[in-house]
Amino acid sequence: MKKMEIIIADEGMYLTNGKTHGSWHKLAEGESADNFREITKEEYEEILRIEENEQTEV
Amino acid sequence: MTLEQNVREVNSAFVAIKDKIVECGVEVAEGTHARDYANKVGEVFNEGKKSQYDEFWDNYQDYGNRTHYYNAFSLYGWTENTYKPKYDIKPTSATNMYWGAPLKKISYGNVKIDFSKCPTLNQMFQGANQIGVANVDVDVDCSSATEISQTFSYNPMLVSIKKLIVHEALTYKNVFSGSGYIEELQVEGIIGQDGFSIASTKLNRASIVSIINALSSTASGKAVGLSKTAINTAFETASGKKDGSTSAEWLALVATKPNWTISLAP
């Protein structure tokens, strides 16, 4: 039997492990829910804004 | 002037007109009556237009030898009225190539467009001031690239990408950021690295399946991002239920990639 772990953030919140962010995650085998922390929508949007500003030099 | 002299004048004029028509590249068959020269005027005009077309594109594409297409078709001047390439397009440099171009599509006639030799495809179809290509209706082959960055980003006009050809070592950086209306995206090859994230809420079921199926079966510790709204619609169990993320079909699909973290954001 194989298990699949899905973690879901509370309403209006997000979960991030520093690398991937969202409100719903199907975890890879070996990934732990303990690596995820809950963040607010504002924190999530700030993370996206920072990532988008890290552009490759043209 | 005598009648004979007049006739000679007129014949001489007809010969001069015929010679000029032929000089402009329009054939005048032997025996063509002079009254039919008037019909040739339109052909002369068209030949002039073609020669202007040839002159521009022969130079702009260096008679088909051009490979450096950096910014070549970017911004507002490139529309269906001006984007009419003559030669096949096989760039080795394509950064910003169609940046902010208000084109409905990029294919044109029989011109082949081949990106497989580009080491970078950054910002290639990125939008500018909310304007950009609507349909990338040719294959975007990333075979020669090691990373693609913002290739389809900030383009609210973009709805369709015919085929994105990827390979396992290819890395992704904000490839689709800010392009929230993409409905179709066919992925061919293997997604093997982090960073493949598409937040479009409009992404259709076939596209989502294509992305999940492309995920490497051997990669470890990687994550991919999709829109929960798109999943809820694409996999909904009944019309309007928007419950796709809890559907058996969706769960069965993501279960095929146990080595991937699949993240959904609204």
Side-chain angles (χ1 to χ4, degrees):
Chain A
M1 181 179 74
K2 288 189 176 179
K3 274 197 328 183
M4 187 165 69
E5 187 170 5
I6 292 172
I7 55 175
I8 301 173
D10 290 338
E11 184 71 32
M13 300 293 284
Y14 294 76
L15 293 163
T16 180
N17 65 355
K19 189 169 74 171
T20 188
H21 337 285
S23 57
W24 182 105
H25 302 271
K26 190 282 289 180
L27 301 187
E29 286 175 345
E31 175 64 271
S32 169
D34 293 338
N35 293 333
F36 285 78
R37 64 183 179 93
E38 205 161 49
I39 57 175
T40 65
K41 182 182 177 188
E42 289 70 29
E43 288 172 309
Y44 166 74
E45 290 171 348
E46 177 64 13
I47 288 172
L48 292 186
R49 192 189 62 77
I50 291 170
E51 286 181 350
E52 287 172 18
N53 284 337
E54 290 170 1
Q55 294 183 31
T56 301
E57 284 296 316
V58 174
Chain B
M1 199 183 276
T2 66
L3 178 60
E4 190 180 338
Q5 284 171 322
N6 276 328
V7 169
R8 266 205 300 274
E9 270 301 298
V10 168
N11 281 338
S12 172
F14 283 146
V15 168
I17 292 171
K18 176 185 171 183
D19 288 347
K20 185 53 87 174
I21 291 172
V22 171
E23 187 184 308
C24 290
V26 176
E27 189 186 327
V28 180
E30 274 303 312
T32 300
H33 199 284
R35 83 166 75 87
D36 293 324
Y37 292 173
N39 297 331
K40 296 288 181 182
V41 170
E43 289 182 47
V44 168
F45 177 72
N46 287 336
E47 195 59 34
K49 277 173 58 177
K50 184 176 183 306
S51 89
Q52 292 226 314
Y53 169 88
D54 285 340
E55 182 177 1
F56 176 80
W57 287 101
D58 286 346
N59 282 281
Y60 201 69
Q61 292 188 272
D62 189 19
Y63 297 88
N65 297 313
R66 179 174 183 173
T67 57
H68 189 79
Y69 275 88
Y70 179 100
N71 270 326
F73 303 115
S74 65
L75 290 176
Y76 314 112
W78 294 104
T79 68
E80 274 64 47
N81 292 325
T82 53
Y83 177 74
K84 301 182 180 184
K86 179 178 175 182
Y87 297 98
D88 289 347
I89 296 172
K90 298 182 180 181
T92 56
S93 166
T95 300
N96 289 358
M97 189 172 167
Y98 292 95
W99 183 67
L103 291 167
K104 291 190 179 64
K105 61 185 179 73
I106 67 164
S107 65
Y108 183 78
N110 294 322
V111 169
K112 295 185 185 56
I113 303 177
D114 176 3
F115 298 117
S116 66
K117 298 291 185 283
C118 291
T120 172
L121 299 101
N122 297 342
Q123 290 95 22
M124 204 157 71
F125 300 101
Q126 188 178 64
N129 292 328
Q130 308 298 307
I131 300 291
V133 173
N135 289 289
V136 180
D137 61 333
V138 301
D139 294 350
V140 179
D141 188 337
C142 305
S143 300
S144 296
T146 53
E147 176 182 90
I148 53 173
S149 172
Q150 300 190 322
T151 307
F152 304 100
S153 63
Y154 306 110
N155 183 357
M157 313 291 292
L158 182 61
V159 293
S160 175
I161 302 166
K162 179 191 172 195
K163 187 183 290 184
L164 181 66
I165 301 173
V166 300
H167 58 88
E168 190 148 11
L170 185 67
T171 61
Y172 309 90
K173 200 160 194 172
N174 300 321
V175 175
F176 305 100
S177 295
S179 292
Y181 298 95
I182 299 173
E183 298 173 14
E184 295 177 336
L185 165 60
Q186 182 76 15
V187 177
E188 182 179 292
I190 298 176
I191 299 170
Q193 306 300 323
D194 281 318
F196 194 105
S197 179
I198 175 165
S200 170
T201 61
K202 310 291 185 187
L203 201 62
N204 66 23
R205 183 190 178 107
S207 304
I208 295 165
V209 171
S210 166
I211 292 167
I212 301 297
N213 284 342
L215 298 177
S216 166
S217 298
T218 56
S220 173
K222 307 298 182 190
V224 65
L226 294 163
S227 158
K228 189 174 182 185
T229 301
I231 304 303
N232 279 342
T233 302
F235 289 87
E236 63 185 1
T237 57
S239 180
K241 274 200 86 170
K242 310 287 185 205
D243 59 350
S245 62
T246 57
S247 71
E249 276 190 288
W250 166 246
L251 295 176
L253 179 62
V254 298
T256 63
K257 303 292 174 176
N259 54 319
W260 281 81
T261 291
I262 297 171
S263 303
L264 304 182

